[in-house]
């Protein structure tokens, strides 16, 4: 099975948990895309009714609109029944890294107020510890003096061999240098943190990041997932918190 087929299998499994009348957080990324597509399909078939979708990005907002999924927002629905979203990393305690798609703030806002947060992944996302993939752990920051904030973030995790990089759009010719900074739906920048070693106490790391004035939010979703659906070549496993 291809990675995308595994993502679709996990997504469809998660959508089985959506009941008519629910207010549903709609995630962002290539895995969540399948879940949003599936919800649209079931609504169209009349198998799901009276769903209200709360999108976690403008990208998902547009996808849901095109599928005819009725949409609203947190101002009108401060509590959700369920949210379905992907993740970049999952550790054995169901802590997540999210945000490589750049939507971490709105995702964390939405997924922080839902009764059930169902995470859908293919097995490649499983890690021994957060940051263990050696890939980016995103932090959304204000553009003002971004170098100052990026350096403070890097220094905070010097013990873990951290390198902080401003996320930039690959410029038209695909070259990274000289590209424009990536700008989130909220008009902010993203600094990606790369670790060589385990950062240890995640709660302490989260608090230290959020104490830095200039930081908006980070991509560690700690103690938030209630259910994780992992699709692998040997089948689908469901882990509940
Ligand atoms: O950027 C995000 O937060 C995405 O949800 C990410 O965590 C998963 O994206 P993927 O499903 O495309 O791998």
């Amino acid at each position: 099975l291809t990675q995308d087929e595994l993502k679709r299998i996990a997504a469809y499994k998660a959508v089985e948990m959506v009941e008519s009348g629910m207010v549903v957080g709609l995630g962002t990324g290539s895995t969540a895309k399948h879940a949003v597509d599936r919800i649209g399909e079931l609504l169209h078939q009349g198998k799901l009714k009276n769903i209200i979708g709360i999108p976690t990005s403008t990208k998902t907002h547009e996808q849901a609109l095109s599928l005819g999924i009725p949409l609203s927002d947190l101002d009108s629905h401060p509590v959700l029944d369920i949210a379905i979203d992907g993740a970049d990393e999952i550790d054995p305690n169901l802590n997540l890294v999210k945000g490589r798609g750049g939507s971490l703030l709105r995702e964390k806002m939405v997924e922080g107020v839902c009764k059930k947060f169902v995470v859908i992944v293919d097995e490649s996302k499983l890690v021994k510890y957060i940051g263990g993939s050696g890939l980016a752990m995103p932090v959304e920051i204000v553009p003002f003096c971004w170098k100052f904030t990026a350096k403070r973030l890097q220094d905070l995790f010097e013990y873990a061999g951290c390198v902080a990089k401003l996320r930039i759009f690959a410029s038209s010719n695909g070259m990274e240098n000289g590209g424009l900074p990536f700008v989130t739906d909220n008009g902010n920048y993203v600094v990606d943190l790369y670790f060589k070693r385990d950062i240890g106490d995640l709660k302490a790391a989260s608090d230290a990041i959020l104490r830095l004035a200039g930081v908006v939010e980070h991509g560690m979703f700690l103690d938030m997932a209630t259910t994780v659906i992992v699709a692998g070549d040997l089948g689908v496993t469901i882990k509940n918190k």
Side-chain angles (χ1 to χ4, degrees):
L1 290 168
T2 66
Q3 187 182 28
D4 193 55
E5 282 163 346
L6 292 176
K7 291 180 175 183
R8 189 173 48 74
I9 291 166
Y12 280 36
K13 194 74 195 154
V15 173
E16 290 176 16
M17 297 170 68
V18 178
E19 293 161 18
S20 291
M22 280 190 169
V23 179
V24 186
L26 305 175
T28 299
S30 60
T31 313
K33 181 184 175 302
H34 287 301
V36 176
D37 280 342
R38 181 66 172 159
I39 290 169
E41 184 184 16
L42 295 177
L43 278 172
H44 186 67
Q45 293 169 350
K47 290 179 183 162
L48 265 181
K49 293 182 169 56
N50 309 321
I51 294 292
I52 295 181
I54 313 290
T56 54
S57 66
T58 52
K59 194 170 176 202
T60 296
H61 189 278
E62 280 149 28
Q63 178 196 2
L65 272 184
S66 71
L67 292 164
I69 299 174
L71 299 177
S72 185
D73 61 24
L74 293 174
D75 289 344
S76 308
H77 296 277
V79 177
L80 283 68
D81 297 299
I82 190 170
I84 301 175
D85 201 353
D88 297 301
E89 291 183 9
I90 296 191
D91 79 3
N93 301 317
L94 307 194
N95 292 311
L96 317 174
V97 168
K98 282 180 60 51
R100 286 184 200 146
S103 318
L104 65 113
L105 176 62
R106 297 191 184 187
E107 289 174 338
K108 197 176 269 192
M109 288 175 74
V110 169
E111 288 146 19
V113 292
C114 52
K115 294 171 193 159
K116 278 187 203 154
F117 175 24
V118 183
V119 179
I120 48 179
V121 292
D122 66 277
E123 58 193 353
S124 73
K125 307 300 186 65
L126 302 179
V127 295
K128 287 191 180 50
Y129 59 85
I130 292 300
S133 71
L135 300 173
M137 202 285 275
V139 181
E140 182 157 340
I141 67 168
V142 297
F144 172 73
C145 286
W146 66 265
K147 278 198 189 91
F148 163 72
T149 302
K151 182 73 171 60
R152 291 216 285 174
L153 283 166
Q154 184 166 286
D155 293 348
L156 203 54
F157 296 108
E158 190 177 3
Y159 70 90
C162 178
V163 173
K165 283 188 186 155
L166 179 73
R167 188 180 299 185
I168 59 172
F169 267 123
S171 47
S172 51
N173 62 6
M175 299 301 289
E176 284 253 328
N177 51 353
L180 296 172
F182 170 84
V183 178
T184 69
D185 284 345
N186 320 299
N188 296 314
Y189 286 174
V190 173
V191 166
D192 286 315
L193 303 182
Y194 297 86
F195 302 106
K196 294 188 183 65
R197 291 179 293 281
D198 189 345
I199 56 179
D201 182 335
L202 299 178
K203 180 76 178 65
S206 169
D207 292 344
I209 292 171
L210 295 174
R211 267 199 299 273
L212 295 178
V215 166
V216 177
E217 189 50 80
H218 61 69
M220 291 189 286
F221 284 46
L222 308 179
D223 209 20
M224 288 177 65
T226 56
T227 302
V228 172
I229 299 177
V230 184
D233 283 328
L234 299 178
V236 181
T237 53
I238 300 181
K239 300 182 199 177
N240 289 302
K241 192 75 181 169

